[in-house]
Amino acid sequence: EWLPNYRVKEWLISDIISGLSTGLVATLQGLAYALLVAVPVGYGLYSAFFPILTYFFLGTSRHISVGPFPVVSLMVGSVVLSMAPDENFLIEGNTESRDAERVLIASTLTFLVGILQVIFGVLQIGFIVRYLADPLVGGFTTAAAFQVLVSQLKIVLNVSTKNYNGVLSIIYTLVETFEKIGTTNIADLIAGLLTIFVCMVVKEINDRFKHKIPIPIPIEVIVTIVATGISYAADLEKKYNAGIVKSIPRGFLPPAPPNVSLFSQMIAASFSIAIVAYAIAVSVGKVYATKYDYAIDGNQEFIAFGLSNIFSGAFSCFVATTALSRTAVQESTGGKTQVAGIISAGIVLISIVALGKLLEPLQKSVLAAVVIANLKGMFMQVFDVPRLWRQNKVDAMIWVFTCIASIILGLDLGLLAGLLFGLLTVVLRVIEPEGVKILKFSSPIFYANIDGLKSSLKSTVGFDAVKVYNKRLKALRKIQKLIKKGKLKATKPGINNEAFETDEEPEDNQDLQVPTKEVEIQVDWNSELPVKVNIPKVPIHSLILDFGAVTFLDIVAVRSIKTIIKEFERIDVRVYFASYQDNLISQLERGAFFDDTVRKDIFFLTVHDAVLYIRNQMTYSDNQDPIFEKVRISSSTFPFLPSSSTHT
């Protein structure tokens, strides 16, 4: 959509500058994130190059930088290590066959993830990302950051450990790392710590002075160049046995088909990776789409990333999404469109073809340190928990549960556990809370079944709203008589009774059309009354009518439902509608359903939305004067609602 309207004079220079800056960062991050996938670092360059080519034509975001992301890379790496562990390659020096097998697994997984994403896009189920609530994503990405930190710690220390995978793998890795900490390579440790310190300090400067610095300082690139020069000049590998990159292939490998026989072993993991990669990309894309006033098409994004991963999988790449830090660089340096992305891919291409040899002396601990330095934003999400706890304790519990589950169980099982826990909290919150009744109708409502509806309504709530209203009027008249005789007086806590009156009058059902005298008092109907009138208890304050299966209403049903609403309103029970079909509102409008008292703000898309609204209203009411919020009855003529009475 944007390409035919590309403003060459206004945007091209900005996109070129942005592309150059982003390309340098993408080159380095591609090398670094390959460590997370457990493949040779050169394949990270391929993963930073190929996905951009297809996303340029198919994607709907103008600002995201497509390529590897640490969380997704780690999820891919866990699959790679579980299917090709070191134990399968016991012959000393047999690293070539091990690396070849791991590259094949990573590229096959990428191909399968792409297929799933295309299917999701074609079936238009981009809505699935809605189930990944912000607290769930926050807890998951924080746990992933911790997993990344632990996986890179052994590289910074240059300590050899087994590659654990699955439940408690992070604990086993930490234990073995600290058991062997005595074998730490000091040269790698110093290089890693200095890189982390310098990168974090300069990134903080970039954040604090972003309005004064026209282009963020590309500290990762600078550190890499300096570290490579020092490693080459000091010959750190031979003198100090430092772990270096050693070999980066020049040029491209020919495209290769995936190993289809592996699909059955990785289908479950590929499903979670496909969803997480898509959710991260769309979330970041929507931030910038909102900022620059354009739209992101969720289903098209599924297709764009799916085809990008299918294409990239054929060229030995691992799964692509977007990286927050890289996207921030692309946008902050003036990037306007995906032309900046193509130019950044050109910079990566130069590195693949010509510059790879120059980076071979680079210490792996420096790359691992660059990965760790980029985790700061994800770790800072921990400070969201106190805010969430104040706003919504259940959301805070989802965050903490997902984080802990993802750390202990691993990212794939942890995400599933967090998702199930989040859905469980929704179910529990939707189950009728105290003071709320939910009634579901499973058929159209019309003149023939309206009486059945009224009967089921009385059965569900446990009382007759008309009888309750009549009884209350009767009690109020008696209370008014006692007040006039001086036997009762209204006080702040309630009615101060000096005498109780015996209920000698027979029960009567007064005609609702007969106006009553104004009663200028408020009564707490749940407390003991000074007159002995048998008033049915009203244990609810809200009623939700689930209209998900109601396909139509005739005029009799519209008028009857409006009457029901006003009957309940008179006894301070609010009525809400949920899960209604699109044509229902128009049918109600044609039946003159809406007026000044029955408004559209009582309609909600889901029962859950209605329950949340009711809870917010009750929280607000709890902060008000409790006496002022008591039941009010004053002069009225049905079908109108009672007006507010005077507080005496």
Side-chain angles (χ1 to χ4, degrees), residues 598-627:
V598 181
R599 301 187 299 272
K600 292 182 180 179
D601 58 2
I602 61 174
F603 285 79
F604 295 88
L605 290 177
T606 65
V607 173
H608 180 53
D609 291 337
V611 171
L612 291 180
Y613 175 80
I614 292 167
R615 287 193 169 183
N616 289 336
Q617 292 295 102
M618 296 308 298
T619 301
Y620 175 78
S621 297
D622 289 343
N623 296 326
Q624 307 303 308
D625 182 352
I627 299 300

PDB file of all heavy atoms in Angstrom, residues 598-627:
ATOM      1  N   VAL A 598     -33.159   3.629  29.760  1.00  0.00           N
ATOM      2  CA  VAL A 598     -32.612   2.393  29.193  1.00  0.00           C
ATOM      3  C   VAL A 598     -31.700   2.793  28.037  1.00  0.00           C
ATOM      4  O   VAL A 598     -32.168   3.132  26.952  1.00  0.00           O
ATOM      5  CB  VAL A 598     -33.736   1.448  28.711  1.00  0.00           C
ATOM      6  CG1 VAL A 598     -33.131   0.173  28.142  1.00  0.00           C
ATOM      7  CG2 VAL A 598     -34.690   1.126  29.847  1.00  0.00           C
ATOM      8  N   ARG A 599     -30.379   2.729  28.307  1.00  0.00           N
ATOM      9  CA  ARG A 599     -29.403   3.224  27.337  1.00  0.00           C
ATOM     10  C   ARG A 599     -28.539   2.076  26.815  1.00  0.00           C
ATOM     11  O   ARG A 599     -28.551   0.970  27.343  1.00  0.00           O
ATOM     12  CB  ARG A 599     -28.522   4.297  27.978  1.00  0.00           C
ATOM     13  CG  ARG A 599     -29.310   5.497  28.494  1.00  0.00           C
ATOM     14  CD  ARG A 599     -28.345   6.596  28.948  1.00  0.00           C
ATOM     15  NE  ARG A 599     -27.483   6.127  30.028  1.00  0.00           N
ATOM     16  CZ  ARG A 599     -27.795   6.204  31.314  1.00  0.00           C
ATOM     17  NH1 ARG A 599     -28.960   6.711  31.684  1.00  0.00           N
ATOM     18  NH2 ARG A 599     -26.953   5.761  32.230  1.00  0.00           N
ATOM     19  N   LYS A 600     -27.762   2.372  25.794  1.00  0.00           N
ATOM     20  CA  LYS A 600     -26.935   1.342  25.162  1.00  0.00           C
ATOM     21  C   LYS A 600     -25.716   0.973  25.997  1.00  0.00           C
ATOM     22  O   LYS A 600     -25.035  -0.009  25.681  1.00  0.00           O
ATOM     23  CB  LYS A 600     -26.484   1.807  23.773  1.00  0.00           C
ATOM     24  CG  LYS A 600     -27.620   1.921  22.764  1.00  0.00           C
ATOM     25  CD  LYS A 600     -27.114   2.338  21.402  1.00  0.00           C
ATOM     26  CE  LYS A 600     -28.270   2.457  20.398  1.00  0.00           C
ATOM     27  NZ  LYS A 600     -27.797   2.891  19.071  1.00  0.00           N
ATOM     28  N   ASP A 601     -25.439   1.734  27.049  1.00  0.00           N
ATOM     29  CA  ASP A 601     -24.241   1.433  27.837  1.00  0.00           C
ATOM     30  C   ASP A 601     -24.431   0.227  28.755  1.00  0.00           C
ATOM     31  O   ASP A 601     -23.523  -0.130  29.513  1.00  0.00           O
ATOM     32  CB  ASP A 601     -23.799   2.641  28.658  1.00  0.00           C
ATOM     33  CG  ASP A 601     -24.880   3.143  29.616  1.00  0.00           C
ATOM     34  OD1 ASP A 601     -25.956   2.524  29.653  1.00  0.00           O
ATOM     35  OD2 ASP A 601     -24.634   4.140  30.307  1.00  0.00           O
ATOM     36  N   ILE A 602     -25.620  -0.414  28.693  1.00  0.00           N
ATOM     37  CA  ILE A 602     -25.812  -1.639  29.478  1.00  0.00           C
ATOM     38  C   ILE A 602     -25.558  -2.884  28.620  1.00  0.00           C
ATOM     39  O   ILE A 602     -25.773  -3.998  29.075  1.00  0.00           O
ATOM     40  CB  ILE A 602     -27.231  -1.703  30.094  1.00  0.00           C
ATOM     41  CG1 ILE A 602     -28.307  -1.706  28.994  1.00  0.00           C
ATOM     42  CG2 ILE A 602     -27.454  -0.556  31.059  1.00  0.00           C
ATOM     43  CD1 ILE A 602     -29.718  -1.911  29.539  1.00  0.00           C
ATOM     44  N   PHE A 603     -25.078  -2.695  27.389  1.00  0.00           N
ATOM     45  CA  PHE A 603     -24.793  -3.807  26.483  1.00  0.00           C
ATOM     46  C   PHE A 603     -23.278  -4.024  26.407  1.00  0.00           C
ATOM     47  O   PHE A 603     -22.519  -3.071  26.242  1.00  0.00           O
ATOM     48  CB  PHE A 603     -25.353  -3.523  25.086  1.00  0.00           C
ATOM     49  CG  PHE A 603     -26.844  -3.679  25.002  1.00  0.00           C
ATOM     50  CD1 PHE A 603     -27.690  -2.672  25.473  1.00  0.00           C
ATOM     51  CD2 PHE A 603     -27.407  -4.827  24.470  1.00  0.00           C
ATOM     52  CE1 PHE A 603     -29.062  -2.805  25.406  1.00  0.00           C
ATOM     53  CE2 PHE A 603     -28.788  -4.965  24.399  1.00  0.00           C
ATOM     54  CZ  PHE A 603     -29.617  -3.964  24.867  1.00  0.00           C
ATOM     55  N   PHE A 604     -22.851  -5.300  26.512  1.00  0.00           N
ATOM     56  CA  PHE A 604     -21.435  -5.641  26.503  1.00  0.00           C
ATOM     57  C   PHE A 604     -21.193  -6.791  25.529  1.00  0.00           C
ATOM     58  O   PHE A 604     -22.061  -7.635  25.310  1.00  0.00           O
ATOM     59  CB  PHE A 604     -20.963  -6.038  27.906  1.00  0.00           C
ATOM     60  CG  PHE A 604     -21.034  -4.902  28.899  1.00  0.00           C
ATOM     61  CD1 PHE A 604     -22.205  -4.670  29.615  1.00  0.00           C
ATOM     62  CD2 PHE A 604     -19.952  -4.074  29.093  1.00  0.00           C
ATOM     63  CE1 PHE A 604     -22.287  -3.631  30.519  1.00  0.00           C
ATOM     64  CE2 PHE A 604     -20.025  -3.029  29.997  1.00  0.00           C
ATOM     65  CZ  PHE A 604     -21.188  -2.797  30.710  1.00  0.00           C
ATOM     66  N   LEU A 605     -19.983  -6.820  24.967  1.00  0.00           N
ATOM     67  CA  LEU A 605     -19.663  -7.841  23.975  1.00  0.00           C
ATOM     68  C   LEU A 605     -19.605  -9.235  24.584  1.00  0.00           C
ATOM     69  O   LEU A 605     -19.952 -10.224  23.941  1.00  0.00           O
ATOM     70  CB  LEU A 605     -18.324  -7.522  23.298  1.00  0.00           C
ATOM     71  CG  LEU A 605     -18.323  -6.306  22.373  1.00  0.00           C
ATOM     72  CD1 LEU A 605     -16.924  -6.061  21.839  1.00  0.00           C
ATOM     73  CD2 LEU A 605     -19.294  -6.506  21.211  1.00  0.00           C
ATOM     74  N   THR A 606     -19.116  -9.335  25.821  1.00  0.00           N
ATOM     75  CA  THR A 606     -19.011 -10.640  26.479  1.00  0.00           C
ATOM     76  C   THR A 606     -19.529 -10.542  27.905  1.00  0.00           C
ATOM     77  O   THR A 606     -19.605  -9.451  28.480  1.00  0.00           O
ATOM     78  CB  THR A 606     -17.552 -11.128  26.526  1.00  0.00           C
ATOM     79  OG1 THR A 606     -16.794 -10.245  27.356  1.00  0.00           O
ATOM     80  CG2 THR A 606     -16.941 -11.172  25.140  1.00  0.00           C
ATOM     81  N   VAL A 607     -19.840 -11.696  28.483  1.00  0.00           N
ATOM     82  CA  VAL A 607     -20.246 -11.750  29.883  1.00  0.00           C
ATOM     83  C   VAL A 607     -19.103 -11.282  30.776  1.00  0.00           C
ATOM     84  O   VAL A 607     -19.313 -10.585  31.771  1.00  0.00           O
ATOM     85  CB  VAL A 607     -20.671 -13.187  30.262  1.00  0.00           C
ATOM     86  CG1 VAL A 607     -20.925 -13.305  31.759  1.00  0.00           C
ATOM     87  CG2 VAL A 607     -21.913 -13.595  29.481  1.00  0.00           C
ATOM     88  N   HIS A 608     -17.884 -11.654  30.389  1.00  0.00           N
ATOM     89  CA  HIS A 608     -16.706 -11.244  31.172  1.00  0.00           C
ATOM     90  C   HIS A 608     -16.597  -9.721  31.244  1.00  0.00           C
ATOM     91  O   HIS A 608     -16.316  -9.152  32.309  1.00  0.00           O
ATOM     92  CB  HIS A 608     -15.453 -11.840  30.539  1.00  0.00           C
ATOM     93  CG  HIS A 608     -14.188 -11.496  31.260  1.00  0.00           C
ATOM     94  ND1 HIS A 608     -14.007 -11.709  32.603  1.00  0.00           N
ATOM     95  CD2 HIS A 608     -13.036 -10.934  30.815  1.00  0.00           C
ATOM     96  CE1 HIS A 608     -12.805 -11.307  32.958  1.00  0.00           C
ATOM     97  NE2 HIS A 608     -12.203 -10.828  31.892  1.00  0.00           N
ATOM     98  N   ASP A 609     -16.816  -9.054  30.115  1.00  0.00           N
ATOM     99  CA  ASP A 609     -16.774  -7.586  30.106  1.00  0.00           C
ATOM    100  C   ASP A 609     -17.815  -7.007  31.054  1.00  0.00           C
ATOM    101  O   ASP A 609     -17.550  -6.037  31.776  1.00  0.00           O
ATOM    102  CB  ASP A 609     -17.019  -7.053  28.683  1.00  0.00           C
ATOM    103  CG  ASP A 609     -15.863  -7.360  27.755  1.00  0.00           C
ATOM    104  OD1 ASP A 609     -14.747  -7.564  28.267  1.00  0.00           O
ATOM    105  OD2 ASP A 609     -16.080  -7.411  26.542  1.00  0.00           O
ATOM    106  N   ALA A 610     -19.008  -7.594  31.052  1.00  0.00           N
ATOM    107  CA  ALA A 610     -20.078  -7.105  31.931  1.00  0.00           C
ATOM    108  C   ALA A 610     -19.708  -7.292  33.401  1.00  0.00           C
ATOM    109  O   ALA A 610     -19.914  -6.397  34.228  1.00  0.00           O
ATOM    110  CB  ALA A 610     -21.392  -7.832  31.617  1.00  0.00           C
ATOM    111  N   VAL A 611     -19.130  -8.458  33.723  1.00  0.00           N
ATOM    112  CA  VAL A 611     -18.738  -8.716  35.115  1.00  0.00           C
ATOM    113  C   VAL A 611     -17.658  -7.734  35.561  1.00  0.00           C
ATOM    114  O   VAL A 611     -17.705  -7.197  36.677  1.00  0.00           O
ATOM    115  CB  VAL A 611     -18.250 -10.176  35.264  1.00  0.00           C
ATOM    116  CG1 VAL A 611     -17.633 -10.389  36.644  1.00  0.00           C
ATOM    117  CG2 VAL A 611     -19.400 -11.145  35.055  1.00  0.00           C
ATOM    118  N   LEU A 612     -16.671  -7.490  34.695  1.00  0.00           N
ATOM    119  CA  LEU A 612     -15.608  -6.540  35.053  1.00  0.00           C
ATOM    120  C   LEU A 612     -16.177  -5.142  35.279  1.00  0.00           C
ATOM    121  O   LEU A 612     -15.775  -4.433  36.213  1.00  0.00           O
ATOM    122  CB  LEU A 612     -14.548  -6.503  33.947  1.00  0.00           C
ATOM    123  CG  LEU A 612     -13.691  -7.761  33.787  1.00  0.00           C
ATOM    124  CD1 LEU A 612     -12.684  -7.577  32.661  1.00  0.00           C
ATOM    125  CD2 LEU A 612     -12.969  -8.088  35.088  1.00  0.00           C
ATOM    126  N   TYR A 613     -17.126  -4.737  34.427  1.00  0.00           N
ATOM    127  CA  TYR A 613     -17.748  -3.420  34.591  1.00  0.00           C
ATOM    128  C   TYR A 613     -18.492  -3.341  35.926  1.00  0.00           C
ATOM    129  O   TYR A 613     -18.378  -2.346  36.654  1.00  0.00           O
ATOM    130  CB  TYR A 613     -18.708  -3.161  33.430  1.00  0.00           C
ATOM    131  CG  TYR A 613     -19.494  -1.875  33.573  1.00  0.00           C
ATOM    132  CD1 TYR A 613     -18.922  -0.652  33.249  1.00  0.00           C
ATOM    133  CD2 TYR A 613     -20.805  -1.882  34.057  1.00  0.00           C
ATOM    134  CE1 TYR A 613     -19.628   0.532  33.391  1.00  0.00           C
ATOM    135  CE2 TYR A 613     -21.520  -0.712  34.201  1.00  0.00           C
ATOM    136  CZ  TYR A 613     -20.924   0.501  33.861  1.00  0.00           C
ATOM    137  OH  TYR A 613     -21.634   1.673  34.021  1.00  0.00           O
ATOM    138  N   ILE A 614     -19.243  -4.395  36.248  1.00  0.00           N
ATOM    139  CA  ILE A 614     -19.997  -4.410  37.510  1.00  0.00           C
ATOM    140  C   ILE A 614     -19.047  -4.313  38.692  1.00  0.00           C
ATOM    141  O   ILE A 614     -19.287  -3.576  39.648  1.00  0.00           O
ATOM    142  CB  ILE A 614     -20.859  -5.687  37.598  1.00  0.00           C
ATOM    143  CG1 ILE A 614     -21.986  -5.634  36.556  1.00  0.00           C
ATOM    144  CG2 ILE A 614     -21.451  -5.854  38.995  1.00  0.00           C
ATOM    145  CD1 ILE A 614     -22.696  -6.957  36.356  1.00  0.00           C
ATOM    146  N   ARG A 615     -17.951  -5.042  38.631  1.00  0.00           N
ATOM    147  CA  ARG A 615     -16.990  -5.005  39.734  1.00  0.00           C
ATOM    148  C   ARG A 615     -16.394  -3.614  39.899  1.00  0.00           C
ATOM    149  O   ARG A 615     -16.211  -3.130  41.020  1.00  0.00           O
ATOM    150  CB  ARG A 615     -15.885  -6.025  39.488  1.00  0.00           C
ATOM    151  CG  ARG A 615     -16.371  -7.455  39.694  1.00  0.00           C
ATOM    152  CD  ARG A 615     -15.222  -8.417  39.750  1.00  0.00           C
ATOM    153  NE  ARG A 615     -15.675  -9.722  40.209  1.00  0.00           N
ATOM    154  CZ  ARG A 615     -14.870 -10.748  40.413  1.00  0.00           C
ATOM    155  NH1 ARG A 615     -13.581 -10.609  40.210  1.00  0.00           N
ATOM    156  NH2 ARG A 615     -15.348 -11.899  40.837  1.00  0.00           N
ATOM    157  N   ASN A 616     -16.084  -2.971  38.788  1.00  0.00           N
ATOM    158  CA  ASN A 616     -15.553  -1.603  38.873  1.00  0.00           C
ATOM    159  C   ASN A 616     -16.574  -0.662  39.486  1.00  0.00           C
ATOM    160  O   ASN A 616     -16.237   0.209  40.296  1.00  0.00           O
ATOM    161  CB  ASN A 616     -15.139  -1.111  37.487  1.00  0.00           C
ATOM    162  CG  ASN A 616     -13.897  -1.798  36.976  1.00  0.00           C
ATOM    163  OD1 ASN A 616     -13.097  -2.290  37.772  1.00  0.00           O
ATOM    164  ND2 ASN A 616     -13.724  -1.850  35.669  1.00  0.00           N
ATOM    165  N   GLN A 617     -17.830  -0.828  39.089  1.00  0.00           N
ATOM    166  CA  GLN A 617     -18.889   0.016  39.642  1.00  0.00           C
ATOM    167  C   GLN A 617     -19.050  -0.216  41.142  1.00  0.00           C
ATOM    168  O   GLN A 617     -19.225   0.730  41.912  1.00  0.00           O
ATOM    169  CB  GLN A 617     -20.221  -0.275  38.937  1.00  0.00           C
ATOM    170  CG  GLN A 617     -20.267   0.166  37.483  1.00  0.00           C
ATOM    171  CD  GLN A 617     -20.156   1.680  37.349  1.00  0.00           C
ATOM    172  OE1 GLN A 617     -19.101   2.218  37.022  1.00  0.00           O
ATOM    173  NE2 GLN A 617     -21.237   2.384  37.631  1.00  0.00           N
ATOM    174  N   MET A 618     -18.974  -1.471  41.579  1.00  0.00           N
ATOM    175  CA  MET A 618     -19.126  -1.770  42.993  1.00  0.00           C
ATOM    176  C   MET A 618     -17.947  -1.245  43.799  1.00  0.00           C
ATOM    177  O   MET A 618     -18.100  -0.771  44.919  1.00  0.00           O
ATOM    178  CB  MET A 618     -19.263  -3.287  43.207  1.00  0.00           C
ATOM    179  CG  MET A 618     -20.514  -3.879  42.571  1.00  0.00           C
ATOM    180  SD  MET A 618     -22.039  -3.011  43.054  1.00  0.00           S
ATOM    181  CE  MET A 618     -22.044  -3.285  44.827  1.00  0.00           C
ATOM    182  N   THR A 619     -16.735  -1.317  43.198  1.00  0.00           N
ATOM    183  CA  THR A 619     -15.556  -0.758  43.875  1.00  0.00           C
ATOM    184  C   THR A 619     -15.715   0.734  44.069  1.00  0.00           C
ATOM    185  O   THR A 619     -15.407   1.293  45.126  1.00  0.00           O
ATOM    186  CB  THR A 619     -14.291  -1.049  43.049  1.00  0.00           C
ATOM    187  OG1 THR A 619     -14.153  -2.462  42.895  1.00  0.00           O
ATOM    188  CG2 THR A 619     -13.049  -0.501  43.753  1.00  0.00           C
ATOM    189  N   TYR A 620     -16.256   1.398  43.033  1.00  0.00           N
ATOM    190  CA  TYR A 620     -16.484   2.841  43.134  1.00  0.00           C
ATOM    191  C   TYR A 620     -17.542   3.145  44.195  1.00  0.00           C
ATOM    192  O   TYR A 620     -17.393   4.060  45.002  1.00  0.00           O
ATOM    193  CB  TYR A 620     -16.923   3.383  41.779  1.00  0.00           C
ATOM    194  CG  TYR A 620     -17.300   4.855  41.801  1.00  0.00           C
ATOM    195  CD1 TYR A 620     -16.326   5.837  41.816  1.00  0.00           C
ATOM    196  CD2 TYR A 620     -18.642   5.246  41.836  1.00  0.00           C
ATOM    197  CE1 TYR A 620     -16.667   7.177  41.851  1.00  0.00           C
ATOM    198  CE2 TYR A 620     -18.994   6.581  41.872  1.00  0.00           C
ATOM    199  CZ  TYR A 620     -18.003   7.550  41.871  1.00  0.00           C
ATOM    200  OH  TYR A 620     -18.332   8.869  41.909  1.00  0.00           O
ATOM    201  N   SER A 621     -18.614   2.336  44.214  1.00  0.00           N
ATOM    202  CA  SER A 621     -19.694   2.564  45.176  1.00  0.00           C
ATOM    203  C   SER A 621     -19.213   2.390  46.610  1.00  0.00           C
ATOM    204  O   SER A 621     -19.655   3.078  47.511  1.00  0.00           O
ATOM    205  CB  SER A 621     -20.850   1.594  44.910  1.00  0.00           C
ATOM    206  OG  SER A 621     -21.396   1.820  43.632  1.00  0.00           O
ATOM    207  N   ASP A 622     -18.273   1.442  46.808  1.00  0.00           N
ATOM    208  CA  ASP A 622     -17.766   1.206  48.161  1.00  0.00           C
ATOM    209  C   ASP A 622     -17.039   2.420  48.714  1.00  0.00           C
ATOM    210  O   ASP A 622     -16.916   2.580  49.929  1.00  0.00           O
ATOM    211  CB  ASP A 622     -16.809   0.009  48.162  1.00  0.00           C
ATOM    212  CG  ASP A 622     -17.554  -1.295  47.940  1.00  0.00           C
ATOM    213  OD1 ASP A 622     -18.787  -1.291  48.119  1.00  0.00           O
ATOM    214  OD2 ASP A 622     -16.914  -2.294  47.574  1.00  0.00           O
ATOM    215  N   ASN A 623     -16.550   3.279  47.818  1.00  0.00           N
ATOM    216  CA  ASN A 623     -15.831   4.468  48.267  1.00  0.00           C
ATOM    217  C   ASN A 623     -16.750   5.657  48.511  1.00  0.00           C
ATOM    218  O   ASN A 623     -16.308   6.731  48.891  1.00  0.00           O
ATOM    219  CB  ASN A 623     -14.767   4.866  47.229  1.00  0.00           C
ATOM    220  CG  ASN A 623     -13.709   3.804  47.089  1.00  0.00           C
ATOM    221  OD1 ASN A 623     -13.373   3.139  48.060  1.00  0.00           O
ATOM    222  ND2 ASN A 623     -13.177   3.635  45.879  1.00  0.00           N
ATOM    223  N   GLN A 624     -18.049   5.485  48.247  1.00  0.00           N
ATOM    224  CA  GLN A 624     -19.003   6.575  48.434  1.00  0.00           C
ATOM    225  C   GLN A 624     -19.652   6.488  49.807  1.00  0.00           C
ATOM    226  O   GLN A 624     -19.446   5.546  50.570  1.00  0.00           O
ATOM    227  CB  GLN A 624     -20.094   6.522  47.339  1.00  0.00           C
ATOM    228  CG  GLN A 624     -19.535   6.486  45.922  1.00  0.00           C
ATOM    229  CD  GLN A 624     -18.643   7.654  45.624  1.00  0.00           C
ATOM    230  OE1 GLN A 624     -19.032   8.805  45.837  1.00  0.00           O
ATOM    231  NE2 GLN A 624     -17.436   7.397  45.154  1.00  0.00           N
ATOM    232  N   ASP A 625     -20.479   7.474  50.141  1.00  0.00           N
ATOM    233  CA  ASP A 625     -21.228   7.483  51.401  1.00  0.00           C
ATOM    234  C   ASP A 625     -22.153   6.268  51.433  1.00  0.00           C
ATOM    235  O   ASP A 625     -23.051   6.149  50.600  1.00  0.00           O
ATOM    236  CB  ASP A 625     -22.047   8.783  51.473  1.00  0.00           C
ATOM    237  CG  ASP A 625     -22.821   8.884  52.797  1.00  0.00           C
ATOM    238  OD1 ASP A 625     -22.831   7.899  53.550  1.00  0.00           O
ATOM    239  OD2 ASP A 625     -23.395   9.958  53.042  1.00  0.00           O
ATOM    240  N   PRO A 626     -21.952   5.315  52.352  1.00  0.00           N
ATOM    241  CA  PRO A 626     -22.762   4.092  52.333  1.00  0.00           C
ATOM    242  C   PRO A 626     -24.239   4.347  52.554  1.00  0.00           C
ATOM    243  O   PRO A 626     -25.070   3.608  52.068  1.00  0.00           O
ATOM    244  CB  PRO A 626     -22.166   3.258  53.477  1.00  0.00           C
ATOM    245  CG  PRO A 626     -21.475   4.245  54.361  1.00  0.00           C
ATOM    246  CD  PRO A 626     -21.004   5.340  53.469  1.00  0.00           C
ATOM    247  N   ILE A 627     -24.599   5.402  53.296  1.00  0.00           N
ATOM    248  CA  ILE A 627     -26.014   5.699  53.510  1.00  0.00           C
ATOM    249  C   ILE A 627     -26.633   6.246  52.239  1.00  0.00           C
ATOM    250  O   ILE A 627     -27.741   5.891  51.858  1.00  0.00           O
ATOM    251  CB  ILE A 627     -26.184   6.714  54.661  1.00  0.00           C
ATOM    252  CG1 ILE A 627     -25.627   6.110  55.952  1.00  0.00           C
ATOM    253  CG2 ILE A 627     -27.648   7.098  54.839  1.00  0.00           C
ATOM    254  CD1 ILE A 627     -26.304   4.825  56.368  1.00  0.00           C
TER     255      ILE A 627
END
